[in-house]
């Protein structure tokens, strides 16, 4: 074994990687009886059609063969439902995979990725892996985005090559209207990804903008609204000539046969989605009102979580006290912005248990 630190493998890693902090996902305790309100998973079981599709796929010889690189059955079914042609869709191993593909496609070393702040921290990590910079443009106090978001260069002078907006945003749960997204897309010097991981819980989405503007790309996830975070499936919608470029960057077999079959069954069950959405939205209302009753500023949410801050009471001890009682919520501390509590909308029973704990604190 070498004792010379200069010759260890770590000294051979690209400087951009060595400098990375690395993305840290929320706690995923395995086992134990947690009430888990920390990573925006859906509290309900997925459509029963999902299990049937997985079992049918696993039973035959399908798994002996490589999966369809384009996930054609999913693309055809999703295209029909969304009202686009199949070649407007690319599938991924979760929408995180699509975000990776998008950043690799549009942003090179020394260039810049623009994102609002605070938002989904993964975008920053993806820029870092590319050796690119990340220009974090602060939301206004009311969670709107000023025109400066569309400036062609970062403060450091790097050219902005891609912008990503989570819409609805995390942690705020707030939504920018399609009209506002259109204005920003028209001003930006680059493509704009609208990350609609929570889009199914919102009042509007940006699919129409994709039809109007080839610089707008929408990503969707099966992890939240379809209750399939453990499956790993997502897709992006863009005009066909953009999809063609993205397909060059993706891994050949980025989606496996089980997830393709399961996601196709899930998107086909329109009634399940509508019913689940209605339940989540009703519980979101109750959670928001109850937190306001406890003296919190709870932001009106268009997603499946609620961002809460208290004018005087520190947030971290609340997170810690709840954890001792078996309730996990997300304490977020954004450097240069502030901290708060992000609470996922669980079942009514879970939210009741959470609120009962809150009242004893
Ligand atoms: C959860 C989440 C994702 C990731 O979704 P996956 O499909 O599970 O990879 C992407 N963007 C945002 C804003 C999210 O909150």
């Amino acid at each position: 074994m070498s004792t010379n630190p200069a010759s260890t493998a770590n000294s051979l890693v690209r400087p951009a990687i060595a400098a990375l902090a690395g993305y840290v996902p929320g706690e995923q305790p395995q086992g134990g009886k947690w009430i888990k309100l920390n990573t925006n998973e859906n509290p309900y079981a997925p459509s029963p059609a999902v299990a049937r599709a997985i079992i049918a796929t696993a039973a035959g010889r399908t798994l002996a063969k490589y999966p369809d690189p384009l996930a054609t059955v999913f693309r055809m079914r999703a295209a029909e439902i969304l009202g686009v042609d199949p070649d407007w869709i690319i599938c991924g191993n979760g929408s995180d995979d699509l975000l990776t593909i998008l950043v690799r496609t549009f942003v090179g070393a020394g260039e810049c990725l623009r994102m609002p702040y605070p938002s989904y921290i993964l975008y920053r990590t993806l820029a870092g892996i590319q050796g690119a910079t990340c220009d974090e443009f602060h939301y206004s106090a009311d969670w709107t985005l000023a025109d400066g978001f569309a400036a062609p260069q970062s403060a450091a002078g790097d050219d902005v090559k891609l912008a990503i907006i989570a819409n609805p945003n995390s942690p705020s749960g707030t939504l920018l209207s399609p009209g506002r997204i259109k204005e920003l897309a028209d001003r930006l010097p680059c493509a704009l990804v609208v990350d609609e991981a929570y889009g199914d819980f919102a009042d509007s989405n940006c699919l129409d903008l994709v039809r109007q503007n080839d610089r707008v790309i929408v990503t969707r996830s099966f992890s939240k609204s379809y209750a399939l975070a453990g499956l790993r499936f997502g897709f992006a919608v863009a005009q066909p000539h953009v999809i063609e470029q993205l397909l060059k960057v993706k891994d050949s077999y980025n989606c496996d046969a089980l997830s393709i079959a399961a996601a196709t069954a899930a998107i086909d069950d329109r009634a399940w989605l509508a019913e689940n959405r209605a339940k989540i939205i009703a519980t979101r209302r109750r959670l928001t009102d109850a937190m306001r009753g406890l003296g919190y500023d709870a932001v009106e949410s268009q997603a499946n979580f609620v961002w809460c801050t208290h004018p005087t009471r520190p947030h971290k001890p609340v997170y810690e006290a709840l954890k001792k009682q078996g309730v996990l919520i997300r304490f977020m501390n954004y450097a240069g912005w502030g901290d708060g509590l992000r609470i996922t909308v669980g079942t009514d029973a879970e939210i009741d248990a959470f609120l009962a704990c809150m009242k004893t604190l």
Side-chain angles (χ1 to χ4, degrees):
M1 199 175 94
S2 170
T3 51
N4 176 0
S7 69
T8 66
N10 274 7
S11 70
L12 307 175
V13 165
R14 285 170 49 219
I17 304 301
L20 267 186
Y23 177 70
V24 185
E27 295 165 275
Q28 303 295 357
Q30 305 294 316
K33 277 203 153 188
W34 294 93
I35 292 184
K36 207 169 166 301
L37 307 176
N38 68 328
T39 49
N40 300 342
E41 289 136 323
N42 199 299
Y44 299 101
S47 159
V50 167
R52 286 197 296 270
I54 290 175
I55 289 166
T57 306
R61 285 194 299 166
T62 307
L63 291 181
K65 306 280 193 302
Y66 281 104
D68 174 2
L70 293 177
T72 307
V73 285
F74 176 85
R75 285 173 109 193
M76 289 176 66
R77 192 66 195 102
E80 207 175 311
I81 288 166
L82 300 174
V84 295
D85 283 329
D87 59 357
W88 289 56
I89 295 173
I90 177 175
C91 300
N93 179 30
S95 62
D96 285 352
D97 183 31
L98 294 156
L99 294 169
T100 302
I101 292 166
L102 286 159
V103 174
R104 290 170 74 191
T105 301
F106 285 101
V107 192
E111 297 176 341
C112 179
L113 170 72
R114 175 157 299 128
M115 62 178 277
Y117 187 79
S119 187
Y120 192 36
I121 302 298
L122 177 72
Y123 308 148
R124 183 199 293 164
T125 306
L126 296 178
I129 292 170
Q130 290 299 98
T133 56
C134 190
D135 191 44
E136 297 174 318
F137 186 88
H138 283 222
Y139 276 105
S140 307
D142 62 355
W143 295 102
T144 57
L145 268 185
D147 288 346
F149 183 82
Q153 288 191 324
S154 69
D158 298 327
D159 288 330
V160 176
K161 293 295 187 173
L162 185 68
I164 309 183
I165 300 177
N167 202 44
N169 184 47
S170 171
S172 59
T174 50
L175 186 80
L176 300 178
S177 70
R180 182 57 183 154
I181 296 280
K182 181 184 181 334
E183 284 172 8
L184 293 170
D186 288 344
R187 286 170 195 235
L188 275 163
C190 61
L192 170 62
V193 175
V194 185
D195 176 349
E196 294 188 348
Y198 303 103
D200 287 320
F201 302 112
D203 294 337
S204 61
N205 65 59
C206 289
L207 260 190
D208 275 344
L209 281 186
V210 177
R211 295 190 186 90
Q212 296 161 21
N213 185 339
D214 72 347
R215 292 179 172 207
V216 177
I217 300 152
V218 161
T219 59
R220 295 273 175 91
S221 170
F222 275 63
S223 300
K224 285 50 184 252
S225 55
Y226 288 92
L228 290 171
L231 187 81
R232 312 309 302 139
F233 198 88
F235 65 95
V237 187
Q239 294 196 13
H241 57 277
V242 179
I243 296 289
E244 204 180 302
Q245 302 302 317
L246 302 178
L247 288 173
K248 296 181 195 168
V249 177
K250 84 173 187 72
D251 290 344
S252 306
Y253 305 112
N254 61 332
C255 299
D256 63 87
L258 295 176
S259 69
I260 294 167
T264 307
I267 203 167
D268 206 24
D269 194 346
R270 311 309 295 151
W272 184 94
L273 182 71
E275 193 192 317
N276 182 269
R277 176 181 195 273
K279 282 191 286 194
I280 297 284
I281 289 174
T283 311
R284 180 176 80 194
R285 179 79 267 141
R286 282 187 55 221
L287 172 62
T288 307
D289 294 344
M291 289 304 285
R292 288 176 185 164
L294 291 169
Y296 282 83
D297 293 320
V299 179
E300 202 59 42
S301 174
Q302 291 269 308
N304 68 335
F305 53 84
V306 180
W307 177 244
C308 299
T309 55
H310 196 282
T312 52
R313 192 176 183 188
H315 301 119
K316 197 167 188 190
V318 176
Y319 153 77
E320 284 165 344
L322 286 166
K323 190 172 175 180
K324 283 205 185 86
Q325 302 193 48
V327 180
L328 274 183
I329 61 169
R330 193 81 175 259
F331 167 75
M332 300 286 227
N333 189 7
Y334 294 98
W337 177 267
D339 63 3
L341 302 172
R342 196 191 66 190
I343 304 150
T344 302
V345 177
T347 62
D348 278 318
E350 287 171 334
I351 293 303
D352 286 343
F354 157 76
L355 290 170
C357 288
M358 285 296 290
K359 282 168 191 158
T360 67
L361 294 183

